[in-house]
Amino acid sequence: MLDDIINRLKLPFRKEKELYLSLRDVLGFYPNHIELYRQALMHKSAGRREKGKPVNNERLEFLGDAILGAVVGDVVFHRFEGKREGFLTNTRSKIVQRETLNQLAQEMGVTKLIQSKEHSLSHNNYMGGNAFEALVGAIYLDKGYDTCMKFMKKRILDRLINLDKVAYKEVNFKSKLIEWSQKNKILLEFRQTENFRDKEGSPVFGFQVYLEGLSAGNGKGYSKKEGHQKAAKATLELLRKDSKFLDSIFAAKGDRTKMEEQPVGNVPTLEPEVSTDVAPAADSRQASQRPPKKEGRGSKVADKPAVDTPPIDEFDLSDITATPQELTKEDVIAAAEAAAFSEGDGKSDAV
């Protein structure tokens, strides 16, 4: 309090009177080291170099990001007793995300104090949110951690942010859409449709959501993350409002799963294919599977085809030769008796 009174008395003699008054309205106190806050409000596009080192707000932004996370984490931890770690982390991330900080900088008048080139003065670069973090870093170096805590509680959380509303409000639309698609086994795809620069030279990214190949919501943003979020939000709104579109998605899913479940076909055979131009002989396959025939005496010829082959006699007459001369009557009788004697012996043996 005493510092504020002393600084107020010195204001008429300071060249930075206007900046002091503006910071007093934004922060709720007078700075001790005005150069820290001037640097926090200097974008790199308007920065300069001193002794070979760049002078802009990037280093203070880095410091402020860490301090802001600690301060908000402290507040959330004590505000929501008994809540799990995931809930606390999600709540903190909603407050310190670039979109929230950008909106705070706009409402508090921080964006009007930023020094930047004219073509860079656009909300899409998140210069306001970055400058807000840099201001938190400047407060920490100038006044300490306790002042940072008071600033966030009195100027931000008590006046500009409804902590309970933020904590229980779901803002990650892309995460919700992914969770829904995975639960219902729906194919989800984000396709980039546009990438251009606006009148101020800032990049713009456009995305289209496809569910089972059907076009759903689309969105544009000054970053890919923002484009994804807007496209996901539009898709969720479409799913809630248009029941016919929802039915068409599940119908497309049904068609896809049916195609995936159809059999691939019969397994191909390992045997060589037979040409269909000439019909094969009826017994060609059987002939190819027979073992080779043995040569020599006693070999069988019953498997050969009967075409042009004479029938085989029951008895073999090849050992009978013609007699060299005509037999006499006595010889014929002797041969007949010998034959009769031999047949009789054979029958008696058989019996």
Side-chain angles (χ1 to χ4, degrees):
M1 185 69 178
L2 181 60
D3 291 340
D4 288 346
I5 297 176
I6 295 175
N7 285 321
R8 191 181 305 170
L9 293 174
K10 292 180 180 180
L11 282 180
F13 306 100
R14 292 181 181 274
K15 297 180 181 179
E16 301 89 355
K17 178 180 178 180
E18 183 177 354
L19 181 58
Y20 265 94
L21 293 175
S22 299
L23 288 173
R24 174 66 176 80
D25 294 338
V26 171
L27 306 177
F29 57 84
Y30 288 106
N32 290 335
H33 300 87
I34 189 66
E35 63 275 6
L36 289 173
Y37 300 87
R38 187 187 299 110
Q39 184 176 347
L41 296 170
M42 183 176 297
H43 188 258
K44 63 180 180 179
S45 62
R48 62 182 186 278
R49 301 185 71 88
E50 292 182 359
K51 298 180 181 181
K53 297 181 180 180
V55 178
N56 54 55
N57 64 359
E58 288 185 336
R59 285 174 53 84
L60 286 173
E61 177 190 340
F62 165 79
L63 179 62
D65 177 64
I67 300 301
L68 187 61
V71 170
V72 175
D74 192 337
V75 173
V76 171
F77 177 83
H78 289 92
R79 181 65 172 270
F80 301 99
E81 295 183 1
K83 292 294 184 181
R84 295 181 180 273
E85 183 268 343
F87 175 87
L88 301 178
T89 300
N90 192 29
T91 301
R92 181 184 60 184
S93 65
K94 293 175 185 178
I95 297 175
V96 302
Q97 65 181 348
R98 283 291 182 273
E99 290 80 4
T100 303
L101 300 181
N102 225 45
Q103 185 177 355
L104 289 175
Q106 186 72 28
E107 294 180 2
M108 297 173 65
V110 174
T111 53
K112 297 179 181 179
L113 303 177
I114 298 175
Q115 299 181 32
S116 175
K117 291 184 179 180
E118 185 177 357
H119 68 81
S120 297
L121 290 175
S122 177
H123 69 282
N124 53 11
N125 287 322
Y126 300 112
M127 285 195 302
N130 296 339
F132 183 90
E133 287 183 334
L135 281 176
V136 173
I139 295 172
Y140 173 76
L141 294 176
D142 185 33
K143 301 269 188 182
Y145 181 84
D146 291 340
T147 302
C148 290
M149 178 67 74
K150 292 178 181 178
F151 166 72
M152 285 300 300
K153 283 184 176 180
K154 294 183 178 180
R155 307 292 294 187
I156 306 300
L157 299 177
D158 291 345
R159 297 174 56 180
L160 298 177
I161 294 180
N162 186 329
L163 194 56
D164 293 325
K165 184 177 180 180
V166 170
Y168 293 101
K169 181 181 179 181
E170 180 58 57
V171 296
N172 194 341
F173 302 106
K174 182 179 180 180
S175 177
K176 277 293 183 182
L177 181 60
I178 292 175
E179 181 182 353
W180 176 85
S181 63
Q182 290 178 346
K183 182 178 180 180
N184 293 279
K185 298 181 180 180
I186 300 295
L187 294 181
L188 169 64
E189 182 181 4
F190 286 82
R191 298 181 189 176
Q192 184 171 337
T193 57
E194 295 180 281
N195 185 6
F196 62 92
R197 292 186 176 273
D198 61 8
K199 296 180 180 179
E200 297 177 346
S202 301
V204 179
F205 302 91
F207 288 91
Q208 176 78 49
V209 173
Y210 286 86
L211 298 173
E212 291 292 343
L214 303 177
S215 60
N218 60 79
K220 298 179 183 178
Y222 294 109
S223 67
K224 292 184 177 180
K225 180 180 178 180
E226 185 180 2
H228 283 175
Q229 287 291 336
K230 290 185 176 181
K233 181 181 179 181
T235 301
L236 291 174
E237 292 175 348
L238 180 62
L239 292 174
R240 288 181 176 274
K241 295 178 180 179
D242 194 343
S243 59
K244 293 183 179 180
F245 177 69
L246 185 62
D247 293 339
S248 64
I249 292 175
F250 282 95
K253 173 192 171 183
D255 294 339
R256 173 178 60 83
T257 53
K258 286 181 181 179
M259 293 179 61
E260 293 176 352
E261 293 174 357
Q262 289 181 354
V264 177
N266 296 329
V267 178
T269 180
L270 298 178
E271 298 181 1
E273 296 183 358
V274 180
S275 174
T276 57
D277 295 337
V278 180
D283 58 345
S284 61
R285 182 176 177 181
Q286 296 178 355
S288 64
Q289 295 179 351
R290 294 193 189 107
K293 184 180 66 175
K294 296 181 180 180
E295 299 293 339
R297 185 175 179 180
S299 62
K300 298 181 180 180
V301 294
D303 291 337
K304 290 184 178 181
V307 180
D308 297 332
T309 302
I312 300 175
D313 293 338
E314 186 177 357
F315 300 101
D316 190 0
L317 306 178
S318 58
D319 293 337
I320 298 178
T321 58
T323 55
Q325 58 184 1
E326 186 177 354
L327 297 178
T328 63
K329 182 178 179 182
E330 290 78 11
D331 293 333
V332 173
I333 294 172
E337 289 177 349
F341 180 80
S342 115
E343 289 180 2
D345 290 345
K347 290 180 181 181
S348 62
D349 291 340
V351 176

